[in-house]
Amino acid sequence: MESPSIRQRPSEPPAKSTGPQYITPPIPDFGAETGKASEPHPSGQAKHGTLTQLLRMLAFIDWFFCVCCCAHTIQILGSPLYFINKNYYYAYMSLTKQSFGLLITTITQWFSPTLVRVSGDKSVRGQLRQTKDGRLEVDFPERIVLISNHQLYSDWLYLWWIAYTSSHQMHGHVYIILKESLKYIPVIGPGIMFFGFVFLARNWAKDKPRFQRRLRQLKGRHSGPMSGSHSLDPMWLMIYPEGTNLSGNTRKRSVAWAEKQGIPDLTHQLLPRSTGLQYCLQELKGTVDWIYDCTVAYEGIPRGQYGQDIFTLRATYFQGRPPKSVNMYWRRLAVSSIPIDDPKAFETWILDRWKEKEVFLEQYAQTGRFPADDGHDADVAISADGVVGDKPVKGAGYIETEVKLAHWWEVLQIFVPLLAFALVANVLVQIWNLAFYGHISGSNWIAFRPNQ
């Protein structure tokens, strides 16, 4: 029987609810209070006592760093492939990126389970669906630029999970634009450098050449494993035009920027910056047809407060107080309709999109729901990659699901590359021993050699 909490349903009059160019996730506050001792946490009392919280923290750290160290070891062992066969090198690194995608999915599933409510407008009709067992499946193209508002340090975890739900298995082809300081974090920093992420220093004169080089690499084509089904390599390029997540300090900077530009500040978001996204679209011109825009909101953030102060690392993962729901609203924007070669017009375009997102977020703040498309088209379904189906297109309405693996055994996939390398290394050692010493290691068998 289908779980009542994981279902797909058509849009309906929403119930009232108490809820509301660089990715720069701050080091989250380990506290668990909402900012005022008298205010209850929107997710209720802590579900775990101090001892259990400590055990959960140790398990969290052990699992996270075990997988990170394993993945980075695999990356180092496989790095010589770059000089032997670049096609296999990039496929190999995509496997390690898949491992990290599985890691963050399991972390959310095990330590921070929460309802995820997904909807979209007509532009993504037929590209959002729910499987029979309640999981989300998206049918976005293999090459897109993905933009979103930036509410909380965990936003990118959910977007990477969206890549995992893709019918094209895109969690091995995510590329993120990050601030440069993150690459100096031990183990994690060198690991994400192997992922091919884009690191920028917020100095455009310094950033532009390396940004250009990296974006042009993303227009490449490799054959062999995991190279996609089209003429260019698969790529989901993730960028947050706000530059950082919403907080008290960043709100002040957004207000100052608004005053400098002579425009009103936003209420639920920071003002977007246009330079990074515009440059991405210019460099990728002709290789990417669509921008997929996600508007995200977390249930339980009161007006005037900030998610990072409420859903801290401790509250979310150790105390058992994650958001009651994570809400996503998707729409698709054609790159051909965007004035990417006119800086002033592009600045107006991105600001207009953020004003539209303000309307969506205000609706969510008032009703606890984003809009949802549950209409029908008379035409047959056409997938994001142009494949014609045999059924009319139907809007998904609200899809209610959770972050989880499709199969429990996918956890083992995290370690498959390392095990495969160990097996190959063992075979090579045995061949070496047989060739130079006349026997296989661990065996009493002696090779026959004629008398000299």
Side-chain angles (χ1 to χ4, degrees):
M1 174 178 283
E2 181 175 308
S3 170
S5 63
I6 304 176
R7 58 192 181 277
Q8 179 175 350
R9 62 187 186 189
S11 59
E12 57 188 23
K16 293 290 182 181
S17 171
T18 57
Q21 278 165 333
Y22 307 107
I23 292 184
T24 54
I27 297 175
D29 180 7
F30 280 79
E33 302 304 323
T34 61
K36 297 179 181 179
S38 60
E39 292 181 357
H41 194 282
S43 296
Q45 296 295 319
K47 295 181 178 63
H48 307 291
T50 302
L51 179 58
T52 304
Q53 288 180 44
L54 177 60
L55 294 175
R56 285 171 63 86
M57 181 180 69
L58 293 174
F60 180 99
I61 293 173
D62 284 348
W63 176 241
F64 184 81
F65 281 101
C66 171
V67 174
C68 284
C69 290
C70 176
H72 190 41
T73 300
I74 294 169
Q75 290 171 330
I76 294 172
L77 293 175
S79 59
L81 278 173
Y82 183 85
F83 305 101
I84 301 170
N85 187 312
K86 287 186 172 61
N87 293 328
Y88 284 100
Y89 170 82
Y90 287 113
Y92 188 89
M93 291 305 160
S94 291
L95 282 175
T96 68
K97 198 183 296 186
Q98 278 191 349
S99 295
F100 193 79
L102 293 172
L103 166 64
I104 60 179
T105 299
T106 57
I107 280 179
T108 305
Q109 179 179 352
W110 297 341
F111 294 93
S112 178
T114 188
L115 172 72
V116 181
R117 185 179 295 110
V118 181
S119 63
D121 71 0
K122 185 178 179 180
S123 67
V124 293
R125 184 176 291 181
Q127 297 180 35
L128 301 172
R129 52 182 171 265
Q130 193 162 28
T131 62
K132 291 182 179 179
D133 60 353
R135 292 178 294 105
L136 173 70
E137 185 175 84
V138 303
D139 189 25
F140 299 168
E142 290 185 355
R143 286 184 64 84
I144 62 175
V145 173
L146 196 161
I147 63 174
S148 175
N149 60 317
H150 207 353
Q151 295 284 294
L152 199 57
Y153 60 86
S154 58
D155 291 341
W156 64 276
L157 299 176
Y158 292 100
L159 292 185
W160 204 323
W161 166 72
I162 290 291
Y164 168 75
T165 70
S166 168
S167 57
H168 301 295
Q169 295 288 292
M170 290 301 298
H171 55 299
H173 303 286
V174 171
Y175 296 89
I176 309 179
I177 299 174
L178 299 161
K179 66 179 183 180
E180 189 175 36
S181 59
L182 294 177
K183 71 181 183 182
Y184 300 111
I185 300 174
V187 181
I188 298 175
I192 57 181
M193 289 176 68
F194 276 110
F195 288 164
F197 289 174
V198 184
F199 293 93
L200 302 178
R202 293 191 173 185
N203 180 329
W204 188 239
K206 179 181 178 182
D207 287 337
K208 187 176 179 179
R210 72 174 81 172
F211 201 11
Q212 182 183 62
R213 184 181 71 254
R214 189 70 195 96
L215 290 173
R216 290 182 178 178
Q217 289 174 340
L218 292 177
K219 294 191 292 185
R221 169 63 180 167
H222 297 92
S223 59
M226 302 187 71
S227 58
S229 59
H230 297 282
S231 59
L232 295 170
D233 288 346
M235 177 205 72
W236 278 21
L237 179 62
M238 192 186 304
I239 182 169
Y240 287 91
E242 293 169 58
T244 188
N245 69 286
L246 186 62
S247 68
N249 289 332
T250 58
R251 165 60 67 210
K252 292 175 183 177
R253 294 201 293 268
S254 184
V255 170
W257 176 256
E259 292 175 350
K260 180 179 179 181
Q261 298 298 311
I263 57 177
D265 193 24
L266 303 176
T267 301
H268 302 288
Q269 308 166 98
L270 305 175
L271 284 170
R273 305 299 177 93
S274 61
T275 304
L277 179 59
Q278 181 190 6
Y279 192 73
C280 283
L281 296 177
Q282 286 177 325
E283 284 295 324
L284 296 173
K285 188 175 182 179
T287 68
V288 174
D289 295 325
W290 303 101
I291 290 178
Y292 277 72
D293 172 44
C294 179
T295 304
V296 63
Y298 297 84
E299 182 177 346
I301 303 176
R303 287 183 183 273
Q305 295 190 36
Y306 305 104
Q308 72 163 28
D309 302 325
I310 299 171
F311 299 115
T312 62
L313 187 63
R314 180 185 174 194
T316 300
Y317 293 100
F318 308 148
Q319 292 186 331
R321 299 198 287 186
K324 291 183 178 179
S325 68
V326 179
N327 298 265
M328 294 181 172
Y329 180 67
W330 289 92
R331 55 183 178 164
R332 183 176 68 165
L333 308 169
V335 174
S336 60
S337 67
I338 302 172
I340 61 176
D341 296 317
D342 184 336
K344 202 67 179 177
F346 185 84
E347 188 176 341
T348 300
W349 179 87
I350 189 67
L351 182 59
D352 287 344
R353 301 293 79 75
W354 250 244
K355 289 178 179 177
E356 293 167 356
K357 292 161 82 71
E358 275 289 289
V359 175
F360 304 147
L361 288 163
E362 180 58 30
Q363 174 177 327
Y364 179 82
Q366 293 184 20
T367 68
R369 294 288 190 278
F370 282 128
D373 167 48
D374 60 357
H376 294 259
D377 282 349
D379 299 329
V380 296
I382 301 177
S383 76
D385 290 319
V387 179
V388 179
D390 57 359
K391 296 181 180 179
V393 181
K394 183 181 183 300
Y398 294 107
I399 295 177
E400 294 186 349
T401 186
E402 58 186 341
V403 176
K404 64 178 182 180
L405 297 177
H407 309 284
W408 68 266
W409 44 260
E410 288 181 272
V411 173
L412 303 178
Q413 292 182 11
I414 296 173
F415 305 101
V416 164
L418 185 60
L419 294 175
F421 188 91
L423 289 173
V424 171
N426 182 62
V427 170
L428 293 175
V429 168
Q430 302 299 351
I431 293 174
W432 176 277
N433 288 335
L434 184 60
F436 290 94
Y437 300 105
H439 66 87
I440 297 175
S441 178
S443 172
N444 292 323
W445 180 79
I446 304 297
F448 170 77
R449 293 184 179 180
N451 294 327
Q452 301 296 324

